């Protein structure tokens, strides 16, 4: 009996800046190892000192980005303040075909595009809410030495991002990091069980009732 | 701000006899405490020595059972070898309204009736498969001093039960009890997050984007 490999899931996580998404995603990567691959975006913006090519982003020229876009190479793309960002589809498809789940740390617009471009693939989308706007503002103020202007700007972007909470399959509140991570991990586990129903589980069930 | 209580989930677990369902259910009860209530069936069959009234079953007469059935008191009911079994709806509704999730340890026929009678309530159904028919037979032979006839009879019932695997939202393989329990528990956690989206989460999200 040959068991077909289940194709990977597309796991989208969105949240306003400061809600703890990066920490949750890095916990998930650590826990999952090779079973979860994080999608890397291409961008035209300048590389920052601490960023690594091919790990944080693929840093590309405007020309290259436009060629990729025209060539239909992006699963989703957007312009944010004059810089372009896009998710190359080919490395994602490679993982999905190999049964590796793919994590997307993107905003509501990217999520929307991935949902409509995913075709047959299973997309699971999760939104992370802060427990309150005051808590979010507190985190934004204390995690970096940003100017008052930057904090206010991020807060208004947070409102916009949160207003799309309803588009997501699951919405988590990050009031306690450990509890929130447990729920996030449970969602991935449960969705894998659900996805497996059409693959290894189906083969097993059919073999059990045969004869 | 008054937060509406989320109504409880109906969590159905079915499996052939010997697949480890009772152990999984009792682990789940221990882990969940007051947040999960196990539905108790009424039956016309005789009480066995180790069974406790109101805990294992409500033991009722044929007359009483028929009155309950005519009165529409059952969420589901069935006849199995001349004995009647039914799930009284009122104690279930009481828990659901109080936000307590309700566990049903029933077969595919009961599951089907509950799905169609549940109306607005959220029903999550899980089927437990043995890793192989040989493993199932092994467990049936070793857990009790049943006659060869009884074992063969249970095996043929197992075939019938397993043939309904596809009707369930989630299908788990009990090849390793701990691993299977973790997946079962993850499903409950994830489904609670999903259900909460329309209640506490909705209130929070609305309050965050207001002003």
């Amino acid at each position: 009996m040959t068991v077909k490999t289940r194709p990977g899931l597309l796991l989208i996580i969105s949240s306003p800046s400061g809600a703890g998404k990066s920490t949750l995603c890095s916990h998930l990567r650590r826990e999952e190892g090779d079973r979860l691959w994080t999608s890397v975006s291409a961008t035209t913006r300048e590389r920052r000192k601490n960023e690594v090519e091919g790990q944080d982003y693929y840093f590309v020229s405007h020309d290259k980005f436009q060629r990729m876009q025209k060539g239909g190479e992006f699963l989703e793309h957007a312009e944010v303040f004059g810089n372009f960002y896009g998710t190359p589809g080919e490395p994602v498809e490679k993982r999905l075909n190999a049964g590796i789940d793919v994590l997307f740390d993107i905003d509501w617009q990217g999520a929307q595009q991935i949902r409509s471009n995913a075709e047959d693939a299973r997309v699971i989308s999760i939104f992370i809410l802060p427990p309150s706007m005051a808590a979010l503002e507190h985190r934004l103020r204390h995690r970096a030495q940003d100017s008052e202007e930057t904090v206010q700007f991020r807060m208004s972007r947070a409102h916009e991002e949160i207003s799309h909470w309803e588009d997501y399959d699951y919405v988590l509140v990050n009031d306690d990091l450990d509890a929130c991570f447990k729920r996030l991990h449970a969602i991935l586990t449960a969705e894998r069980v659900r996805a497996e129903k059409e693959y290894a589980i189906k083969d097993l069930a059919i073999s059990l009732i045969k004869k």
Side-chain angles (χ1 to χ4, degrees), chain A residues 112-139:
Chain A
Q112 210 166 60
Q113 289 182 53
I114 287 191
R115 279 189 206 98
S116 46
N117 295 339
E119 296 175 3
D120 296 341
R122 280 181 98 95
V123 181
I124 316 299
S125 63
I126 302 171
F127 197 91
I128 315 287
L129 287 176
S132 69
M133 288 315 250
L136 188 71
E137 195 165 337
H138 183 84
R139 283 189 212 172

Side-chain angles (χ1 to χ4, degrees), chain A residues 17 140 143 146 149-158:
Chain A
S17 171
L140 286 175
R143 72 169 186 179
D146 286 331
E149 210 179 359
T150 304
V151 170
Q152 288 312 319
F153 172 72
R154 294 219 163 111
M155 287 301 290
S156 79
R157 292 253 298 167

Side-chain angles (χ1 to χ4, degrees), chain A residues 6-13 25 28-29 32-41 58 75 87-106 114 118 121-126 184 188 192:
Chain A
R6 154 178 89 73
L9 303 169
L10 289 83
L11 186 71
I12 295 174
I13 306 193
C25 286
L28 203 56
R29 273 192 290 273
E32 290 301 317
D34 291 344
R35 294 184 301 172
L36 187 70
W37 181 76
T38 303
S39 167
V40 180
S41 298
Y58 301 109
L75 270 182
T87 301
E90 194 260 319
V92 172
E93 270 162 46
K94 200 176 108 188
R95 268 72 179 197
L96 296 180
N97 291 336
I100 297 167
D101 301 322
V102 179
L103 177 65
F104 298 88
D105 172 347
I106 50 175
I114 287 191
R122 280 181 98 95
V123 181
I124 316 299
S125 63
I126 302 171
L184 173 61
L188 178 56
R192 280 172 171 166

Side-chain angles (χ1 to χ4, degrees), chain A residues 68-86:
Chain A
M68 291 173 82
Q69 189 182 326
K70 278 186 189 147
E73 293 184 33
F74 291 129
L75 270 182
E76 59 85 33
H77 60 87
E79 187 187 343
V80 183
F81 309 117
N83 295 311
F84 293 86
Y85 296 83

Side-chain angles (χ1 to χ4, degrees), chain A:
Chain A
M1 186 178 68
T2 56
V3 176
K4 288 182 299 292
T5 305
R6 154 178 89 73
L9 303 169
L10 289 83
L11 186 71
I12 295 174
I13 306 193
S14 303
S15 83
S17 171
K21 178 179 54 167
S22 304
T23 309
L24 289 164
C25 286
S26 75
H27 280 24
L28 203 56
R29 273 192 290 273
R30 200 178 314 149
E31 185 87 14
E32 290 301 317
D34 291 344
R35 294 184 301 172
L36 187 70
W37 181 76
T38 303
S39 167
V40 180
S41 298
T43 183
T44 60
R45 83 151 163 73
E46 295 235 336
R47 188 170 74 81
R48 292 178 194 144
K49 266 186 199 155
N50 56 342
E51 289 177 333
V52 179
E53 160 75 21
Q55 186 176 310
D56 296 296
Y57 287 100
Y58 301 109
F59 295 96
V60 299
S61 65
H62 269 83
D63 274 3
K64 170 111 200 235
F65 193 97
Q66 282 194 325
R67 277 199 307 276
M68 291 173 82
Q69 189 182 326
K70 278 186 189 147
E73 293 184 33
F74 291 129
L75 270 182
E76 59 85 33
H77 60 87
E79 187 187 343
V80 183
F81 309 117
N83 295 311
F84 293 86
Y85 296 83
T87 301
E90 194 260 319
V92 172
E93 270 162 46
K94 200 176 108 188
R95 268 72 179 197
L96 296 180
N97 291 336
I100 297 167
D101 301 322
V102 179
L103 177 65
F104 298 88
D105 172 347
I106 50 175
D107 72 1
W108 72 270
Q109 283 173 293
Q112 210 166 60
Q113 289 182 53
I114 287 191
R115 279 189 206 98
S116 46
N117 295 339
E119 296 175 3
D120 296 341
R122 280 181 98 95
V123 181
I124 316 299
S125 63
I126 302 171
F127 197 91
I128 315 287
L129 287 176
S132 69
M133 288 315 250
L136 188 71
E137 195 165 337
H138 183 84
R139 283 189 212 172
L140 286 175
R141 268 184 214 291
H142 288 78
R143 72 169 186 179
Q145 269 73 44
D146 286 331
S147 66
E148 179 58 28
E149 210 179 359
T150 304
V151 170
Q152 288 312 319
F153 172 72
R154 294 219 163 111
M155 287 301 290
S156 79
R157 292 253 298 167
H159 260 97
E160 159 76 0
E161 186 71 20
I162 293 172
S163 71
H164 296 277
W165 70 278
E166 236 177 331
D167 302 343
Y168 290 74
D169 301 315
Y170 297 91
V171 184
L172 292 169
V173 185
N174 188 11
D175 44 2
D176 174 281
L177 186 68
D178 284 347
C180 187
F181 177 71
K182 271 185 196 152
R183 295 197 296 271
L184 173 61
H185 196 241
I187 291 166
L188 178 56
T189 301
E191 289 290 349
R192 280 172 171 166
V193 173
R194 205 190 267 272
E196 209 65 71
K197 191 183 165 193
E198 301 303 318
Y199 292 89
I201 292 286
K202 184 174 191 167
D203 292 332
L204 173 63
I206 289 170
S207 82
L208 293 177
I209 54 185
K210 205 156 49 186
K211 79 139 194 181

